[in-house]
């Protein structure tokens, strides 16, 4: 995400004085709530979905994720790279290729 | 997120030939599942949480969000800015300031 | 659910002195967390699932629902019948038959 | 739940010819979606919640759980008792009493 998009999200929260509601716990609840609204786009039909609606719900999840990164002072590249290192170990290419099995089933 | 982090996520999927499992519906399910694991960090105590664990679960959500953006060919700045424009209209500063009420309750 | 099953759930909580953790909010988080574990049984393949695993995750959701009913002093038949009356109005047979559309799209 | 409440849920689905949408996977998605709506009652404030709204969202989860039990031909007492036997073993009273720790942390 570009810095100006991140800044817009931050300003939105600041202008409304909403930081007081943004405890990590409340943001975690919000991420699940919005993720479930995203899933609702696929509730009865996984194939034919309203892409515009999907984009909006996906954006809602992304905004709360940015709120969480801000609240906890996290660097997105740092935490994602740390997790990718774990994932690469848990799912070695030679075992995981073409398989949807969970790492403890590989 | 930096381009090289995004590329690492894409290569991870490609190397394992996992694109076949990444239907938008399956990714939407995965986002909720990981978001709920993030919430689990706050299940019984919203105050005292394991920050390391939070970072890992948050990273999992972010990775699936990148998968969804890739799958649908979406530009993150475009969809977030479009949603922020909506949010700014739904939550005007003068009404929403300091209030956690939903837009239809303002 | 039979009274003896309900009593077993209650005794389990009592014996462990867990009522202190069972705020309605914490139980609501727990219901989502377990519901997402249920969904995980269908994460990459909606057709071929492990029925034994589904049963276990479904049971976990049911136990937390009983905890919520107990915590709020709710009668399951009363709240379900009240909601069914609403649903029957929102989804009239002649409009909803054979359609998965949401009530506001009918 | 009383037999007549269960029958009302079944008749509601039958009358609308909705069994065709009720794959186990779709019901699992629906349970998470409704569970997240229940959580939304506690999104920004875990203490002061709208009990009427909580009841309605809880009822929605319960209805989908009944749909899942019906779809899979499961007996609620059987699956809950099987899980309670597991839980009683995983959380022995002497270790778990007064603790919110997960079984693998006890």
């Amino acid at each position: 995400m570009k810095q100006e998009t991140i800044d817009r999200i931050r300003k939105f929260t600041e202008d409304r004085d909403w930081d007081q509601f943004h405890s990590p716990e409340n943001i975690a609840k919000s991420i699940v709530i919005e993720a479930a609204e995203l899933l609702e786009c696929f509730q009865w039909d996984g194939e034919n979905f309203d892409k515009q609606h999907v984009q909006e719900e996906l954006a809602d999840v992304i905004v709360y994720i940015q709120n969480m990164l801000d609240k906890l002072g996290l660097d997105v590249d740092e935490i994602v790279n740390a997790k990718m290192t774990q994932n690469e170990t848990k799912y070695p290419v030679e075992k995981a290729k073409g398989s949807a099995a969970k790492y403890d089933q590989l």
Side-chain angles (χ1 to χ4, degrees), chain A residues 21-35:
Chain A
F21 305 120
H22 285 188
S23 66
E25 181 190 17
N26 285 356
I27 304 175
K29 284 183 273 176
S30 303
I31 293 173
V32 179
I33 291 165
E34 296 299 336

Side-chain angles (χ1 to χ4, degrees), chain A residues 9-61:
Chain A
I9 294 173
R10 288 178 182 160
K11 187 171 162 27
F12 180 83
T13 300
E14 257 174 53
D15 284 353
R16 282 155 192 76
D17 202 11
W18 280 359
D19 185 63
Q20 59 184 309
F21 305 120
H22 285 188
S23 66
E25 181 190 17
N26 285 356
I27 304 175
K29 284 183 273 176
S30 303
I31 293 173
V32 179
I33 291 165
E34 296 299 336
E37 292 185 8
L38 173 63
L39 183 64
E40 201 179 350
C41 298
F42 306 94
Q43 186 173 10
W44 303 115
D45 184 342
E47 301 294 319
N48 305 293
F49 50 88
D50 176 345
K51 196 176 167 184
Q52 177 59 35
H53 194 190
V54 168
Q55 290 175 211
E56 292 172 11
E57 300 299 347
L58 187 60
D60 279 335
V61 182

